[in-house]
Amino acid sequence: MVLATLSVSAQEKRSKRVVVPKIDSVAVQDDFVLPKDAPYLGEEEQGKLYHIRKVNIHGVKYIDHNIIRSSSGLIPGDSIDLSGSFIQNAIMRLWSQRYFEDVKIGATIEGDSVDLEVVLRERPRVINWAVKGVPNSKAKDLVEEVLKLKRGQELSDYAIDKNIKLLKEHFGEKGFLDCEVDVEVQQDTVVKQAVNVTFNVKKNQRVRIGEITFSGNENFPAKRLARTFKKTHKVSILFWQNTKFKEEEYAEDKELLIDFYNSKGYRNANILSDSVYRMVPKNPKHKRIGIHINLAEGNKYYIRDVRWIGNSRFETSMLQRMLSLNKGDVYDKKSIHKRLGIGKELNPDEMSVLSLYQNDGYLMSQIEPDEIIIGKDSLDIEIKIFEGNQFTINNVNITGNNRVDDEVIRRELYTRPGELYNRSLLMQTMRTLAGMQHFNEETLAPDIKPVSNDLVDINWPLEEKASDQFNVAAGWGSGTFVGSIGITLNNLSIKNLFKKGAWRPYPMGQNQRLSISGQTNGTYYKALAISFSDPWLGGRKPNSFTISGHLSEQNNAYYIWQSATSYFRSYGLSIGLGKRLSWPDPYFTFYGELAYQRYGLKNYSSFVMENGNANMLSLRLVLARNSTDQPIYPRRGSDISLSLQITPPFSAFNKKDYSDPTMSDQDRYRWTEFHKWHFKAQWFQALTPDNNLVLMAKAEMGFLGHYNKHKISPFERFQVGGDGMSGYTMYGVDIISLRGYEDGALDPVGSNYSIAYNKYTLELRYPIILKPSSQIYVLGFLEAGNGFSSWKDFSPWKVKRSAGVGVRLYLPIVGMLGIDWGWGFDPPAGGTKRSGSQFHFVIGQNF
């Protein structure tokens, strides 16, 4: 028997900066040590093969021995040449895993057989990773989310260097370009061959951009060029702009700079060089960097001619109209690519030449514009179109839906097997599925897979989210404590009510909605409301059915031992039918609702009608168009509605003289009559390439008209101002929120609520979290509006103004919550002092 060791010595070069404490020799747990005087492997007979009988692993505690054998390539049963490079390669493979501090391989030879002895010393394991120099609340997130470190990982110079770099990058993105990080490694006092690692962070002062300069710009001033940057800005009075330097954002902004030049006809514009340098600021307490960009603008180009090649499906004249280019126009590369629908200007929601083809089944169609230079300032554009084949939808597959039935999803799809592929219908399907509010809108996207030269499969991998809501709340309104409880089931299945095993926890799957809510403070106020809706009545066509009812009472019994001597009671029942329209486009809907309400008042002096009963029979018609991409955080599209609610003109045929001032309220308002108009419109537009910063513009107005000037309805008026969160619901009055003012502060003085109103809103929104479990976004707003006592007094320009900021939190189980702070710039109705600072609470999503 001969004991041999390989003549390969390898030691990892250790950085002087990182000192790993020496750990007692426990690497060879079985006390196996290679003899120092053993002969070297390699002195054996050249080319002789030995049969590996055993591969014994020594010194390893945390890694499976079979994994080591497999990764090293030393497998029992194989034959090897000990004098060759096989053993050397095995050692290098073990070193490359970075799990070991020392690697040795020896052999016990017996005839033609060999037992290999692999002696390893494992690197220390890290029991605890820590970051100091930051708040404790952030240290854990840094370890878990940024560095992604876990307990029990091995320690190596690679791990140390990698995580130091990650920490510096992390704080560098926040403006701490001078951040310093060092490492402290300590042996654990309990576990042998284990250490604790602490990264000590010294952020130092934040570094901001002090100046952005340009050279070579002969046609545009530096200020105009700096405005092309969307994320890289210098310190200025515009405090909300980001002035921290981020390499990736700077690279994106340089591309925007070239895009700007291209859009102005300078097709050859490019950046010759750029530099980022340290500045000497006027205030030594500040740290600043400067950016300089050296440009070559080139010549400005104009279009001489446009030619189309390869188009057989659509005529050249039609494509030319869509491109909208004429001889002599400035060559605007950005706009041309946008109209063609190619490159980074591709927008699936906008009409383009490419969408024209893809909406007609040409899934693989391609468009390539070529520029042919004619002289120093002119060019021809030759647009090559590769139409390809028309694709037909083969299969439409749905996955990920566990709570919503397949048939409910499929009936919402506009892409069906056997039909031509159509991109616009694909986008419409995405909006429809998002509008169901059962799926995560942020991950909702089709998986398109061609299966042949003319067939395509469309797969919808859905991610379900919670949509049912249950809430228990308490509030303070009208000087009293009000409690409320409500439950909304958004995925009910009526047909499975009596199906065995369907109650889990309730019969679900058909996207039907049931809502029940109640409010009370015990004696003074109580209300109950219930509603049910089915978006596909009968399951065959998208015709919706809604039925709802409510009752409420408000009296003067503030305490449980009191008896009420006055009250305001209301009861109501309504039935509605809705229909999706295909003309003018699929975004239109029409809804009709027949409603009956009865109001009862006794000694209720704070209302127009003090005693008696009033009945209301009305028909409400709503024409609406909704093209928003999702309901919770829309980024594009619009939502517009026009509604009319009318009652029969009872005064025209009951032959009563309503001009008689002695007529009682009971007789005058026994049957209420009016016509009520509502117009609401809001638009959404993403302002940044990542579609996160969104502008919302909204306008609305309402008017309550009458048939007889002596019989003006005391009900269905508007209360303008505040947030509407009075703590209780009062039927017969529409509450119109307007931030920056108290509830009802904009109703005309001396009038019971408003007959007409107008309201305008601008909101700038930015998301903080967009996940199925919660969605949070912040907003800033400008708002204006007012209430009027008659249509004669109505004016779209007589408004009360306000501005402010707010935050919204959407939780699937409770819905939308929010808080706003607003500043009213004008006095409320009848006041002389501006409204000033007001806080507002929001529950539910307003439209």
Side-chain angles (χ1 to χ4, degrees):
M1 297 179 61
V2 178
L3 185 65
T5 59
L6 180 68
S7 58
V8 175
S9 175
Q11 291 294 330
E12 186 179 13
K13 185 178 179 181
R14 191 178 303 282
S15 172
K16 294 181 180 180
R17 173 178 46 77
V18 181
V19 179
V20 179
K22 183 179 180 181
I23 300 197
D24 295 337
S25 182
V26 294
V28 184
Q29 284 86 353
D30 56 6
D31 296 329
F32 180 87
V33 179
L34 293 175
K36 294 182 179 180
D37 56 350
Y40 288 130
L41 292 174
E43 297 176 354
E44 303 304 313
E45 182 179 346
Q46 293 281 340
K48 184 176 181 180
L49 295 178
Y50 289 88
H51 173 76
I52 301 177
R53 187 168 57 188
K54 296 180 181 179
V55 179
N56 301 316
I57 308 297
H58 306 277
V60 176
K61 179 180 179 181
Y62 296 100
I63 305 175
D64 184 86
H65 289 191
N66 288 325
I67 294 178
I68 296 175
R69 294 185 183 97
S70 176
S71 61
S72 66
L74 303 175
I75 309 298
D78 287 353
S79 296
I80 61 172
D81 180 1
L82 294 178
S83 63
S85 61
F86 192 87
I87 298 296
Q88 296 183 35
N89 292 338
I91 289 179
M92 298 311 297
R93 283 193 289 267
L94 291 172
W95 272 117
S96 66
Q97 297 176 29
R98 298 195 297 270
Y99 292 143
F100 311 109
E101 286 187 318
D102 192 19
V103 179
K104 290 185 175 68
I105 297 179
T108 302
I109 300 174
E110 184 177 352
D112 292 335
S113 298
V114 62
D115 294 343
L116 296 178
E117 311 294 341
V118 181
V119 183
L120 306 170
R121 183 164 69 246
E122 287 185 292
R123 294 186 184 278
R125 296 280 164 166
V126 181
I127 296 299
N128 181 59
W129 300 92
V131 177
K132 290 186 178 180
V134 297
N136 293 333
S137 58
K138 295 184 178 180
K140 184 178 179 182
D141 291 338
L142 283 173
V143 171
E144 296 178 354
E145 303 297 331
V146 178
L147 305 181
K148 301 186 185 303
L149 295 172
K150 296 181 180 180
R151 177 187 174 95
Q153 286 182 267
E154 73 283 349
L155 178 66
S156 67
D157 286 345
Y158 171 80
I160 295 294
D161 294 339
K162 171 189 172 184
N163 289 293
I164 287 177
K165 182 180 179 181
L166 287 174
L167 284 171
K168 287 184 176 181
E169 290 177 353
H170 173 78
F171 288 104
E173 291 181 353
K174 299 181 180 299
F176 299 100
L177 300 181
D178 296 332
C179 176
E180 300 176 25
V181 181
D182 59 29
V183 182
E184 182 181 351
V185 182
Q186 294 180 338
Q187 185 170 342
D188 192 77
T189 57
V190 178
V191 181
K192 290 184 177 182
Q193 204 176 347
V195 295
N196 298 308
V197 179
T198 302
F199 295 97
N200 296 307
V201 176
K202 186 179 180 181
K203 294 190 291 186
N204 293 317
Q205 190 176 355
R206 182 178 268 122
V207 181
R208 299 187 182 277
I209 301 172
E211 64 181 13
I212 302 176
T213 59
F214 300 88
S215 59
N217 53 310
E218 299 176 357
N219 295 284
F220 300 98
K223 287 185 178 180
R224 179 63 187 92
L225 298 181
R227 288 205 304 271
T228 65
F229 287 2
K230 300 302 182 184
K231 298 179 181 179
T232 307
H233 307 281
K234 69 177 183 178
V235 175
S236 67
I237 60 174
L238 305 178
F239 61 89
W240 60 84
Q241 289 185 337
N242 176 35
T243 58
K244 301 185 291 289
F245 179 79
K246 296 182 181 180
E247 190 70 41
E248 292 182 0
E249 294 180 351
Y250 174 53
E252 293 173 1
D253 283 340
K254 286 192 292 184
E255 292 182 6
L256 293 177
L257 175 63
I258 299 302
D259 287 346
F260 168 75
Y261 268 102
N262 292 161
S263 69
K264 300 301 181 181
Y266 296 90
R267 65 176 296 276
N268 294 326
N270 66 91
I271 296 174
L272 297 177
S273 63
D274 66 295
S275 59
V276 179
Y277 53 89
R278 290 283 178 165
M279 293 179 57
V280 180
K282 297 179 181 179
N283 187 342
K285 293 182 179 180
H286 297 158
K287 289 191 175 183
R288 298 286 186 264
I289 61 171
I291 298 174
H292 179 74
I293 298 176
N294 183 23
L295 291 162
E297 292 181 329
N299 294 328
K300 188 174 184 178
Y301 280 81
Y302 298 86
I303 297 173
R304 194 190 71 162
D305 190 21
V306 179
R307 295 188 294 273
W308 297 81
I309 299 175
N311 57 303
S312 60
R313 176 63 181 87
F314 299 104
E315 295 182 359
T316 299
S317 58
M318 179 180 181
L319 300 179
Q320 186 63 32
R321 286 195 300 272
M322 292 191 67
L323 188 60
S324 187
L325 285 181
N326 299 310
K327 183 178 179 179
D329 287 350
V330 173
Y331 176 64
D332 183 351
K333 184 177 180 180
K334 184 183 178 84
S335 296
I336 292 173
H337 283 199
K338 186 175 183 179
R339 294 166 191 166
L340 291 176
I342 61 174
K344 59 185 178 182
E345 303 303 327
L346 172 64
N347 186 343
D349 290 316
E350 293 183 355
M351 194 61 184
S352 63
V353 175
L354 183 63
S355 67
L356 183 68
Y357 275 94
Q358 295 206 343
N359 291 346
D360 197 40
Y362 293 92
L363 173 62
M364 295 299 183
S365 58
Q366 298 181 33
I367 301 175
E368 294 182 3
D370 288 339
E371 304 167 358
I372 303 174
I373 305 300
I374 309 294
K376 65 177 183 179
D377 63 352
S378 299
L379 56 80
D380 291 348
I381 301 177
E382 190 175 84
I383 303 174
K384 298 177 182 178
I385 297 180
F386 304 91
E387 294 180 341
N389 298 328
Q390 281 186 309
F391 275 74
T392 301
I393 299 174
N394 182 44
N395 291 315
V396 178
N397 303 311
I398 302 170
T399 59
N401 56 310
N402 298 316
R403 297 180 350 110
V404 184
D405 293 346
D406 271 9
E407 63 182 39
V408 172
I409 299 173
R410 288 192 179 277
R411 70 191 185 191
E412 301 289 355
L413 302 181
Y414 290 86
T415 53
R416 302 178 179 91
E419 297 180 353
L420 281 178
Y421 172 83
N422 188 313
R423 191 175 73 178
S424 64
L425 294 181
L426 200 69
M427 302 305 295
Q428 174 65 15
T429 298
M430 289 180 61
R431 293 188 186 93
T432 304
L433 292 177
M436 294 175 69
Q437 300 193 45
H438 295 304
F439 311 109
N440 181 10
E441 299 89 352
E442 300 302 316
T443 60
L444 184 59
D447 179 18
I448 303 171
K449 291 185 176 181
V451 293
S452 69
N453 291 332
D454 55 4
L455 292 176
V456 61
D457 285 350
I458 299 178
N459 304 312
W460 292 97
L462 304 174
E463 180 184 348
E464 288 187 326
K465 66 177 185 180
S467 58
D468 299 328
Q469 297 176 6
F470 176 77
N471 60 76
V472 178
W476 185 264
S478 293
T480 183
F481 178 85
V482 179
S484 64
I485 185 171
I487 184 170
T488 301
L489 306 178
N490 286 306
N491 190 28
L492 185 66
S493 176
I494 293 295
K495 71 177 185 179
N496 291 331
L497 280 177
F498 304 103
K499 184 178 179 180
K500 185 178 180 181
W503 288 78
R504 296 179 299 176
Y506 68 88
M508 64 178 65
Q510 290 294 306
N511 197 33
Q512 296 165 337
R513 185 176 186 269
L514 175 65
S515 179
I516 303 174
S517 63
Q519 295 175 304
T520 185
N521 80 326
T523 56
Y524 169 69
Y525 171 76
K526 43 188 167 291
L528 177 66
I530 182 171
S531 67
F532 169 80
S533 63
D534 185 351
W536 284 66
L537 180 62
R540 294 182 178 273
K541 294 183 179 181
N543 299 326
S544 65
F545 169 77
T546 302
I547 182 170
S548 63
H550 73 266
L551 59 88
S552 70
E553 178 180 327
Q554 184 177 339
N555 56 48
N556 63 348
Y558 291 97
Y559 303 102
I560 195 170
W561 57 83
Q562 293 180 325
S563 298
T565 58
S566 70
Y567 58 77
F568 183 118
R569 294 172 179 166
S570 69
Y571 314 87
L573 178 67
S574 64
I575 299 176
L577 292 174
K579 180 178 178 60
R580 295 183 193 174
L581 305 179
S582 57
W583 186 88
D585 61 43
Y587 301 122
F588 277 87
T589 59
F590 183 77
Y591 178 78
E593 181 182 88
L594 183 65
Y596 170 78
Q597 294 192 70
R598 180 177 176 85
Y599 302 97
L601 295 93
K602 178 182 178 182
N603 300 326
Y604 204 79
S605 58
S606 59
F607 202 68
V608 176
M609 179 178 175
E610 186 171 342
N611 288 283
N613 296 310
N615 301 279
M616 185 183 76
L617 180 64
S618 67
L619 175 66
R620 187 165 72 99
L621 305 174
V622 183
L623 179 65
R625 184 184 187 274
N626 187 345
S627 62
T628 55
D629 57 343
Q630 55 176 283
I632 305 302
Y633 191 78
R635 292 178 169 90
R636 61 180 64 88
S638 61
D639 195 353
I640 306 171
S641 69
L642 174 64
S643 69
L644 169 63
Q645 185 178 3
I646 57 174
T647 65
F650 296 104
S651 62
F653 47 77
N654 61 12
K655 299 181 180 180
K656 290 185 178 181
D657 182 12
Y658 290 97
S659 63
D660 182 3
T662 62
M663 179 179 287
S664 67
D665 290 341
Q666 173 67 69
D667 291 336
R668 188 180 301 275
Y669 301 119
R670 185 181 304 277
W671 285 97
T672 305
E673 62 178 32
F674 61 83
H675 53 93
K676 185 177 183 179
W677 302 80
H678 251 132
F679 174 76
K680 298 182 180 181
Q682 56 181 353
W683 294 266
F684 299 90
Q685 179 60 54
L687 302 180
T688 54
D690 60 4
N691 293 327
N692 280 336
L693 184 64
V694 176
L695 176 68
M696 186 277 285
K698 179 180 178 182
E700 61 178 284
M701 62 83 63
F703 169 65
L704 180 68
H706 55 270
Y707 305 115
N708 188 322
K709 65 180 180 180
H710 301 295
K711 187 178 171 65
I712 301 175
S713 173
F715 306 104
E716 298 301 317
R717 299 189 180 192
F718 309 101
Q719 178 182 297
V720 186
D723 51 28
M725 296 300 297
S726 62
Y728 61 94
T729 300
M730 187 171 181
Y731 295 96
V733 176
D734 285 358
I735 299 177
I736 310 300
S737 66
L738 202 151
R739 294 164 288 191
Y741 298 89
E742 295 182 352
D743 293 347
L746 302 185
D747 291 330
V749 177
S751 301
N752 283 291
Y753 306 112
S754 298
I755 294 295
Y757 82 95
N758 60 1
K759 178 183 172 182
Y760 314 102
T761 304
L762 277 178
E763 278 188 2
L764 198 61
R765 302 175 175 181
Y766 190 82
I768 305 301
I769 297 175
L770 292 178
K771 295 182 178 179
S773 58
S774 63
Q775 299 191 34
I776 303 175
Y777 64 88
V778 294
L779 60 89
F781 67 86
L782 298 174
E783 205 155 63
N786 208 353
F788 304 91
S789 58
S790 67
W791 181 251
K792 183 179 180 181
D793 295 332
F794 177 85
S795 170
W797 317 117
K798 294 179 181 179
V799 293
K800 306 290 186 178
R801 303 158 299 164
S802 66
V805 294
V807 62
R808 295 291 183 273
L809 166 63
Y810 177 80
L811 298 173
I813 195 171
V814 297
M816 185 72 77
L817 304 173
I819 182 172
D820 293 329
W821 172 82
W823 180 272
F825 296 107
D826 300 300
T832 57
K833 184 179 178 181
R834 66 175 59 181
S835 178
S837 177
Q838 300 285 339
F839 281 94
H840 305 282
F841 296 94
V842 178
I843 296 180
Q845 192 166 19
N846 295 324
F847 170 70

